[in-house]
C-alpha cells in the first residue's frame, strides 16, 4: 500500500519518527494489510504514521480504533523494546525500560513512572504539537502499556484505573471491558494507576544473559537515534516527506533542534552538508516524479525546489548523466519491457 504522508487536519512534527514495527501493527489492526513492510526504512516520519491512522480510522469508522490497536499489541510491534520488556523480572523494571527506550518505538511521546507508597502511575505525554496526534493514537499507547504488562503478569492482570486527557469518543464500558478497570476521560494525564506492590512482584527470567544482550542492543540503538550521528539520517527522513519547494536551512535547524553553527559542524563531522542533503533529496524526488507522473519538467523542477526546466536539466545531467526527458523515456521503456533500465 502507499504510505500516506499527511492526513486531514494533521499538524507537522518535523524530524519526529516512528518505528516501522509499530506502524505495521497499526496497519494490521486497522485491516490495511502487511504491504507497509515494503517501505524499506526501519523508521517512518510521524506525519506518515499520522496519515496511516487517518486511513485506519476513516476506513473502519471506529472511534475506538486506538483501543483495538493497543489491545492487539504484540512484542514485535515494539521492536527491541518488546524483547527487553519480556526479559524483565518485574513490572517495575518493564516500566523503567519503557521510560528509557520508548523513543525507539516513537519519538512522538514520552513515558514517565511516578512511584508512590501504595499506588504508582505510568504516564504518557505526547511531545508533538497539540493537534498533531489523534486521540486514538494516545489510546493505543496507553492500552498497549496494559497489554505489555499482561505479557509479564498474565492476561488477568489489570491496573487500578486508566485515565485519558481527551473526552470520551466511544461507549465507556467498551474500554472498561478491555482494560478491566474504571476508565476516566478529560483527566489531567494519560496514565495507568497501578498498585505499587504489583510493580515489585518478581517473575523468573528464563535467560538473564539474553536479557542483558537485548538491553545492550537497545542502548546502542538509542545512542544512534539520539546522538549526533542520527542528525543526517533524521534530516534525510524529514526531507523525504516534506515539500521541497521553499525548504531552507532554517527549517533544517528546527528539525534537528540545533543552532546553525552546531548543525553545520555535526554534518561536516559526518561527511556531508545541508547543501548535499538537499541535493540528494531533490535527486530522489525528481526521479520519483519522472518515473511515476506525467508532470512537465518545469512542474517537476518546481516541485523539487528548482527554478525551472533548465535548472532541472543541468542538475539531472549532473546526477544521472542524461536529460530528464531521456531518463523518463528509458525508465518507462524498461518498465514496459519487464526489466529496469540500467
Amino acid at each position: 500500500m502507499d504510505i500516506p504522508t499527511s492526513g486531514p487536519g494533521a499538524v507537522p512534527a518535523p524530524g519526529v519518527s516512528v518505528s516501522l514495527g509499530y506502524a505495521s501493527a497499526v496497519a494490521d489492526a486497522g485491516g490495511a494489510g502487511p504491504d507497509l513492510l515494503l517501505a524499506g526504512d526501519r523508521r517512518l516520519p510521524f506525519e506518515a504514521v499520522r496519515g496511516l491512522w487517518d486511513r485506519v480510522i476513516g476506513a473502519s469508522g471506529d472511534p475506538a480504533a486506538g483501543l483495538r490497536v493497543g489491545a492487539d499489541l504484540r512484542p514485535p510491534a515494539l521492536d527491541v523494546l518488546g524483547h527487553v520488556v519480556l526479559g524483565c523480572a518485574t513490572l517495575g523494571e518493564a516500566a523503567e525500560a519503557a521510560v528509557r527506550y520508548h523513543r525507539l518505538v516513537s519519538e512522538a511521546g514520552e513515558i514517565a513512572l511516578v512511584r508512590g507508597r501504595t499506588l504508582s502511575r505510568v504516564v504518557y505525554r505526547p511531545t508533538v504539537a497539540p493537534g498533531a496526534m489523534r486521540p486514538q493514537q494516545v489510546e493505543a499507547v496507553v492500552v498497549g502499556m496494559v497489554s505489555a504488562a499482561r505479557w509479564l503478569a498474565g492476561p488477568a492482570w489489570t491496573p487500578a484505573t486508566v485515565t485519558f486527557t481527551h473526552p470520551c469518543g466511544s461507549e465507556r464500558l467498551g474500554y472498561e471491558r478491555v482494560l478491566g478497570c474504571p476508565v476516566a476521560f478529560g483527566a489531567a494525564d494519560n496514565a495507568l494507576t497501578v498498585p505499587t506492590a504489583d510493580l515489585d512482584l518478581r517473575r523468573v527470567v528464563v535467560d538473564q544473559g539474553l536479557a542483558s544482550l537485548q538491553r545492550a542492543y537497545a542502548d546502542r540503538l538509542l545512542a544512534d537515534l539520539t546522538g549526533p550521528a542520527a542528525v543526517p539520517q533524521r534530516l534525510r527522513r524529514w526531507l523525504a516527506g516534506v515539500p521541497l519547494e521553499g525548504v531552507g536551512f532554517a527549517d533544517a535547524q528546527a528539525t534537528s533542534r540545533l543552532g546553525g553553527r552546531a548543525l553545520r559542524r555535526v554534518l561536516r563531522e559526518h561527511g556531508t552538508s545541508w547543501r548535499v542533503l538537499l541535493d540528494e533529496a531533490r535527486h530522489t524526488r525528481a526521479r520519483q516524479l519522472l518515473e511515476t507522473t506525467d508532470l512537465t519538467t518545469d512542474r517537476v523542477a518546481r516541485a523539487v525546489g528548482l527554478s525551472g526546466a533548465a535548472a532541472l536539466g543541468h542538475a539531472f545531467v549532473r546526477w544521472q548523466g542524461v536529460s530528464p526527458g531521456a531518463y523518463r523515456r528509458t525508465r518507462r521503456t524498461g518498465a514496459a519491457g519487464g526489466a529496469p533500465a540500467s
Side-chain angles (χ1 to χ4, degrees), residues 9-107:
V11 176
V16 174
S17 66
V18 179
S19 75
L20 181 58
Y22 189 76
S24 298
V26 174
D28 291 344
D35 292 346
L36 188 65
L37 293 171
L38 301 177
D41 199 349
R42 296 305 302 170
R43 299 190 69 82
L44 300 176
F46 172 82
E47 289 85 353
V49 180
R50 161 63 194 255
L52 173 61
W53 271 103
D54 288 339
R55 278 194 190 178
V56 167
I57 295 165
S60 68
D62 181 5
L67 179 66
R68 187 174 66 253
V69 170
D72 289 345
L73 194 71
R74 299 293 181 269
L78 300 184
D79 296 306
V80 67
L81 174 56
H83 297 289
V84 169
V85 167
L86 289 175
C88 290
T90 67
L91 286 180
E93 285 185 14
E96 290 164 359
V99 171
R100 177 171 178 80
Y101 299 119
H102 179 72
R103 289 192 68 185
L104 297 178
V105 180
S106 172
E107 296 179 288

Side-chain angles (χ1 to χ4, degrees), residues 7-290:
V11 176
V16 174
S17 66
V18 179
S19 75
L20 181 58
Y22 189 76
S24 298
V26 174
D28 291 344
D35 292 346
L36 188 65
L37 293 171
L38 301 177
D41 199 349
R42 296 305 302 170
R43 299 190 69 82
L44 300 176
F46 172 82
E47 289 85 353
V49 180
R50 161 63 194 255
L52 173 61
W53 271 103
D54 288 339
R55 278 194 190 178
V56 167
I57 295 165
S60 68
D62 181 5
L67 179 66
R68 187 174 66 253
V69 170
D72 289 345
L73 194 71
R74 299 293 181 269
L78 300 184
D79 296 306
V80 67
L81 174 56
H83 297 289
V84 169
V85 167
L86 289 175
C88 290
T90 67
L91 286 180
E93 285 185 14
E96 290 164 359
V99 171
R100 177 171 178 80
Y101 299 119
H102 179 72
R103 289 192 68 185
L104 297 178
V105 180
S106 172
E107 296 179 288
E110 60 187 11
I111 293 174
L113 173 61
V114 184
R115 276 185 172 266
R117 179 169 301 192
T118 58
L119 292 174
S120 297
R121 299 168 69 243
V122 184
V123 181
Y124 175 69
R125 299 186 182 97
T127 55
V128 292
M133 187 176 291
R134 294 187 69 154
Q136 289 92 336
Q137 293 176 262
V138 174
E139 292 175 6
V141 175
V142 175
V143 177
M145 293 194 293
V146 176
S147 296
R150 288 171 175 165
W151 302 341
L152 304 185
W157 181 85
T158 62
T161 62
V162 170
T163 60
F164 298 103
T165 60
H166 54 267
C168 183
S170 185
E171 191 265 319
R172 184 186 305 265
L173 292 180
Y175 292 80
E176 295 185 350
R177 280 195 298 270
V178 170
L179 297 168
C181 68
V183 179
F185 293 83
D189 286 308
N190 305 297
L192 316 179
T193 301
V194 181
T196 301
D198 286 6
L199 294 180
D200 298 325
L201 288 174
R202 299 195 69 80
R203 61 186 284 270
V204 175
V205 178
V206 176
D207 192 332
Q208 288 279 7
L210 179 59
S212 296
L213 287 174
Q214 289 165 339
R215 283 181 176 270
Y217 180 51
D219 283 331
R220 289 199 299 273
L221 292 178
L222 190 64
D224 290 343
L225 182 64
T226 59
V231 171
Q233 188 57 30
R234 180 190 292 268
L235 290 177
R236 288 188 178 98
R237 285 196 302 266
W238 167 67
L239 284 167
V242 299
L244 297 179
E245 186 174 4
V247 70
F249 187 67
D251 303 304
Q253 291 177 244
T255 299
S256 64
R257 304 185 183 97
L258 293 173
R261 184 175 299 176
L263 177 57
R264 290 187 182 91
R265 183 183 68 252
V266 168
L267 294 178
R268 184 171 60 250
E269 289 171 352
H270 291 88
T272 189
S273 67
W274 165 244
R275 186 182 297 274
V276 168
L277 293 179
L278 182 57
D279 192 62
E280 290 173 355
R282 285 172 169 164
H283 180 194
T284 300
R285 188 79 56 86
R287 285 193 293 108
Q288 291 171 343
L289 292 173
L290 290 169

Side-chain angles (χ1 to χ4, degrees), residues 290 297 316 320-333 341:
L290 290 169
T297 53
F316 217 84
Q320 296 285 150
V322 296
S323 70
Y327 177 84
R328 175 177 268 167
R329 288 191 298 272
T330 303
R331 295 296 293 185
R332 294 191 174 183
T333 301

